[in-house]
Amino acid sequence: MPHADGAVISGHAPASTVSTSETPAAVVAPQRRSHPVVAAVRDVDLPGWQRVLAVVALSAVAYSASYQQILADAIAGSRATYLVVVPLLLAMIATGYRSTPRGVSDSESDWIIATLLGVAGMTVIHLLSARAESLAGLWRLQLLAIVVWLACAVAVMFGVRHTVRMWALWVFAICFATPLPFILATAGLGGSDLAYGLVTATVGAIAVFLAGRCTTVRRRLVAAQGCYAAAGAFVVFAGDHVGRLPTVLVAGGLIPVAATVLLARLAKASNPVAAAPTHRSLPRRPLTSLAILGATAVALLATTPIAVRPTTMPTIDANWADRADLTAPTSFPFVTDFLGPQSTLVRYDLPGSAVVPAAAVDVMTTPDPAALDDFADAVWYPTSRPLDYRPITGPSVPLGARVIHTNADAATDGAGRDWYAVTWTWRAGALNQRVTVVVSQTIDGDQTPPAPQPLSLVHTAVRPALWVARQQPSADGTVDPRVSQRATQVMSLFAPPADVAAEAPAGD
């Protein structure tokens, strides 16, 4: 009932006496709050080293088959053996980025940018591989997909800011993830095992310099030079005795890692504050991010194309050239720059006539089958645009033969330098050979096929890039039947019959 002064002491207060600005907290709808256990499950704050291990483990799952192939090729004598230590050098360079960047990282933005980067990068690699399949095989362009995956994984786990700050690592990875630049550099120094080891030592020294971000440029230069001197000494005095793979592991892996560890300790001893990592908090990541990365890694493992190399190859007598009356060979010494000092390249000329085009038989010989596989997609003859190999079969065609030719229909200078070639690999005695029958597309026999020429960065990168940029058509053109018949006739002189050709393991 109401009191004398009008106050309400019992019952319900009139609605008009209750002010909306003084509404009790009890009548306000409570805000939703995440339970601390649920939040901990949804978002995790992993330390930096655990994130590094996660990226390494996911990469190992995604591209384990690719690395197994690289290791198998290295054991077989590949000229791309240095690829075995590239993951180690990348991890070593990454250790130089010990501090997290300033600024706020947004998980959704990081995921969006990483997704766009991954889709764009993989699409470009796929389109270039489809546009120039053999050239992409020579470059092993699919290995760049590993770099794209690493950049995306780092962007998700550490943030886009941290990924962009590591630009030097990505430049190093792009330069050395594909073996052709390394092989061309080795060829420029003569192609010997000594040259191979010194180029490997140079790559390791560059990695040491990039990994020393915690100290001054002067000390980084001294450490890189010391690494190169130690690795070079090992190559000079022990390289010929231990083999290519052990040389790469020591000169390109063990010595650079030791130099980086020593540089980090010296930097910490001289300036502990500058060398110590800064402990800014890393962006929190939900467990769903790890689950999505894991599923993507498994999908990459299942879908990444792997070049399946034949375990057997046809064999033939070592004196097959004599039996075919191939005499007076012309030697091309440049092949040792690419296939190693024990390799040879000779040409047997087969003159033409008024109705038969001139032909030639080029024979590359090496004791290392993996060295031939490194250049399986190389085009050793002059061409104005990238060409692609395609398989060919026939009664006189050896097993695994492929054909390639220029487009004579598109010729504009009338020089008659167009050619048609059939190539294959076999074992001749204890050696491995790649035989190429080259036929001129000039029918009257006056024009001989062009001679093989060494690979260069201009022919394998600059000119193809300009051709792709101009969006030129990739028509193969037609080949006169007399040209292909001439190639078949030459192959019938020495090709082993398909029903009696013996086979032997390629690695024997």
Side-chain angles (χ1 to χ4, degrees), residues 31-43:
Q31 297 180 352
R32 293 186 177 181
R33 295 183 180 179
S34 299
H35 193 277
V37 176
V38 176
V41 172
R42 187 170 63 247
D43 284 347

Side-chain angles (χ1 to χ4, degrees), residues 24 56 105 111 142-143 164 176 182 202 240 250 253 342 397 405 414 421 429 444 465 505:
V56 172
S105 177
W111 260 110
Q142 288 296 334
L143 293 178
V164 173
F176 297 109
F182 181 95
T202 302
D240 292 338
V250 175
Q342 297 179 335
V397 178
H405 62 85
D444 57 16

Side-chain angles (χ1 to χ4, degrees), residues 232-496:
F234 179 84
V235 170
V236 171
F237 295 105
D240 292 338
H241 304 287
V242 299
R244 186 177 302 147
L245 180 57
T247 299
V248 168
L249 293 177
V250 175
L254 180 61
I255 294 178
V257 169
T260 301
V261 172
L262 179 60
L263 179 62
R265 291 188 176 182
L266 292 177
K268 184 176 181 179
S270 60
N271 193 349
V273 176
T278 57
H279 295 285
R280 300 190 190 99
S281 59
L282 291 168
R284 300 177 68 89
R285 289 294 183 256
L287 286 178
T288 53
S289 296
L290 290 175
I292 294 175
L293 286 177
T296 305
V298 174
L300 289 174
L301 175 62
T303 58
T304 299
I306 301 297
V308 179
R309 306 189 187 279
T311 57
T312 61
M313 67 172 61
T315 62
I316 196 171
D317 295 337
N319 62 344
W320 63 268
D322 295 334
R323 289 190 293 101
D325 292 330
L326 300 179
T327 58
T330 302
S331 179
F332 295 90
F334 74 81
V335 74
T336 59
D337 298 343
F338 298 92
L339 299 184
Q342 297 179 335
S343 60
T344 61
L345 170 58
V346 296
R347 159 166 286 195
Y348 301 94
D349 289 309
L350 300 174
S353 65
V355 293
V356 176
V361 180
D362 296 334
V363 184
M364 288 183 177
T365 304
T366 178
D368 298 326
L372 288 179
D373 290 337
D374 291 335
F375 297 96
D377 294 306
V379 180
W380 300 94
Y381 308 98
T383 174
S384 60
R385 68 174 183 86
L387 302 177
D388 291 329
Y389 288 94
R390 58 181 178 83
I392 184 175
T393 58
S396 300
V397 178
L399 181 66
R402 298 180 299 166
V403 64
I404 191 171
H405 62 85
T406 58
N407 185 2
D409 297 336
T412 58
D413 56 5
R417 300 293 292 172
D418 289 287
W419 48 269
Y420 174 92
V422 181
T423 184
W424 66 92
T425 302
W426 62 22
R427 285 183 61 83
L431 299 175
N432 304 274
Q433 294 181 335
R434 171 157 288 124
V435 183
T436 305
V437 174
V438 190
V439 181
S440 172
Q441 294 197 46
T442 303
I443 303 300
D444 57 16
D446 292 338
Q447 185 67 53
T448 59
Q453 60 184 14
L455 302 177
S456 67
L457 200 60
V458 173
H459 294 91
T460 59
V462 178
R463 289 182 180 175
L466 294 176
W467 179 81
V468 172
R470 293 195 300 267
Q471 298 183 354
Q472 297 295 314
S474 57
D476 293 334
T478 58
V479 177
D480 193 301
R482 290 172 291 182
V483 174
S484 57
Q485 291 171 4
R486 173 63 163 163
T488 302
Q489 181 267 330
V490 173
M491 286 186 290
S492 65
L493 298 177
F494 44 78

Side-chain angles (χ1 to χ4, degrees), residues 20 123 194 200 208 256 262 292 307 324 333 341 378 424 445 449 459 461 487:
T20 57
T123 301
L194 176 62
T200 302
V208 170
L262 179 60
I292 294 175
W424 66 92
H459 294 91

